[in-house]
Amino acid sequence: MNSPIKWMGGKFRLRNRILEMLPQDHLCFVEVFGGAGWVLFAKSLSKIEVLNDVNGELINFFKVVRDKTQDFIRAFEYLLVSRQIFEEYKRANPQELDDIERAVRFYYLVHFSFGARMQSFIISPTGVRLVLKTLEQEIKQTRERLLNTIIENRDFEKLILSYDRPSTLFYCDPPYYGLTGYSSQGSRVFTVEDHIRLRDVLSRLQGRYLLSINDHPDIRELYNGFNIEEVSLRYSVSRKDKSTLKKELLISNYYNSNIANSQIAA
């Protein structure tokens, strides 16, 4: 199934290849940097599943969808899609809202903003009809998928250390190295020191991990000696030009020959 939201750095295009990489013989699956949860929602159920992110608004949204589904859906029955409401939600202080109002605000800003950045209102009549028509069905499907999922809002290092077992599989999709803009969605800056801290905690794991990250010289140096496999994502700049390639690195503490030097058409 698909994620109910858009998200910067979401793994919609890469998720099928990531699923091919994930070992099936694990007891617990942990998505450390949850975001939109594209991998979690696409994969088959594991006995124990954990969805984590440090973004409190994102995590509140998933908790409300799971635990207060009908209240969330009901809030959209008479809610119009307009620039004025979008700007009012932008100005609102989430800390002054209850958890359902916060979730509605978050969903509204993500869906009706350019690039899901929650900053600039962008919508077409087709988009309005599509979102409102499918909202109830998508939210109910999301609720069913999250019903037995542990939802966490913790720093990645503390989370990994608390769930690390030989039977645990971690999927890590941290913010891209050297890129900015995540703060517009309410996420804090992921520093070079954070990337080093992530490398260090992954190098000491009892369990297995798969890390996806943008191809950057500093990342290659940071993970020198690790199992690194390169994937090229092909993006269409226009209908006629399909030559743009973006490289991602899949780093793991196990080997899978299915992914080496692959290209994925988007």
Side-chain angles (χ1 to χ4, degrees):
M1 63 175 286
N2 291 331
S3 171
I5 60 172
K6 299 176 291 183
W7 199 248
M8 286 183 62
K11 287 297 175 286
F12 170 75
R13 291 183 176 89
L14 193 56
R15 60 177 174 167
N16 289 335
R17 193 63 75 186
I18 289 172
L19 293 179
E20 293 178 3
M21 285 281 292
L22 296 179
Q24 298 302 307
D25 57 335
H26 61 273
L27 177 67
C28 176
F29 174 80
V30 182
E31 188 151 349
V32 180
F33 302 89
W38 280 106
V39 173
L40 177 78
F41 288 117
K43 66 181 288 294
S44 58
L45 284 169
S46 301
K47 187 168 184 180
I48 301 170
E49 293 187 328
V50 182
L51 178 65
N52 176 74
D53 204 282
V54 293
N55 188 316
E57 297 308 302
L58 173 70
I59 291 303
N60 176 73
F61 165 75
F62 281 127
K63 285 185 175 180
V64 166
V65 166
R66 183 190 64 185
D67 303 333
K68 301 179 180 180
T69 316
Q70 289 302 327
D71 291 330
F72 179 84
I73 294 172
R74 201 174 298 120
F76 283 86
E77 288 182 357
Y78 302 104
L79 188 59
L80 302 176
V81 178
S82 74
R83 187 180 301 275
Q84 179 181 348
I85 295 176
F86 182 90
E87 294 298 330
E88 289 174 354
Y89 273 143
K90 269 183 61 178
R91 291 192 297 268
N93 181 357
Q95 304 307 315
E96 297 177 354
L97 306 176
D98 63 34
D99 55 351
I100 298 172
E101 292 170 334
R102 284 173 61 195
V104 171
R105 172 187 179 272
F106 173 84
Y107 183 86
Y108 194 101
L109 290 177
V110 165
H111 260 285
F112 301 126
S113 62
F114 179 78
R117 292 174 181 263
M118 305 174 70
Q119 293 298 303
S120 302
F121 180 77
I122 182 170
I123 195 61
S124 67
T126 302
V128 172
R129 290 196 299 270
L130 180 62
V131 170
L132 297 183
K133 181 179 180 180
T134 61
L135 182 144
E136 182 173 2
Q137 178 183 353
E138 287 185 351
I139 294 303
K140 287 183 176 179
Q141 288 177 343
T142 302
R143 188 255 180 188
E144 289 299 316
R145 185 62 181 80
L146 294 177
L147 200 55
N148 295 310
T149 301
I150 301 169
I151 300 177
E152 297 268 26
N153 180 209
R154 302 173 66 188
D155 172 77
F156 69 84
E157 183 174 7
K158 294 179 180 178
L159 178 94
I160 290 173
L161 292 176
S162 63
Y163 284 97
D164 188 24
R165 305 286 190 280
S167 58
T168 301
L169 173 62
F170 296 94
Y171 170 59
C172 301
D173 180 34
Y176 281 177
Y177 185 89
L179 298 185
T180 60
Y182 294 94
S183 60
S184 69
Q185 294 178 313
S187 299
R188 69 174 180 81
V189 175
F190 202 81
T191 65
V192 173
E193 290 73 25
D194 287 324
H195 279 285
I196 294 172
R197 190 160 57 97
L198 176 60
R199 186 274 315 271
D200 290 345
V201 72
L202 292 178
S203 68
R204 300 190 298 267
L205 279 187
Q206 301 178 59
R208 287 170 290 181
Y209 72 86
L210 176 64
L211 166 70
S212 56
I213 190 71
N214 58 316
D215 189 356
H216 190 284
D218 290 352
I219 291 294
R220 286 187 178 267
E221 181 178 353
L222 187 63
Y223 286 92
N224 183 35
F226 287 66
N227 179 29
I228 301 178
E229 302 184 24
E230 181 182 301
V231 180
S232 295
L233 291 174
R234 184 175 293 279
Y235 292 88
S236 299
V237 177
S238 67
R239 291 183 179 180
K240 296 182 179 180
D241 182 2
K242 298 186 177 182
S243 62
T244 301
L245 289 175
K246 299 291 184 180
K247 293 182 180 180
E248 297 239 358
L249 302 178
L250 296 176
I251 305 171
S252 65
N253 59 351
Y254 57 90
Y255 181 72
N256 187 313
S257 61
N258 293 333
I259 191 80
N261 298 322
S262 298
Q263 290 190 9
I264 303 169

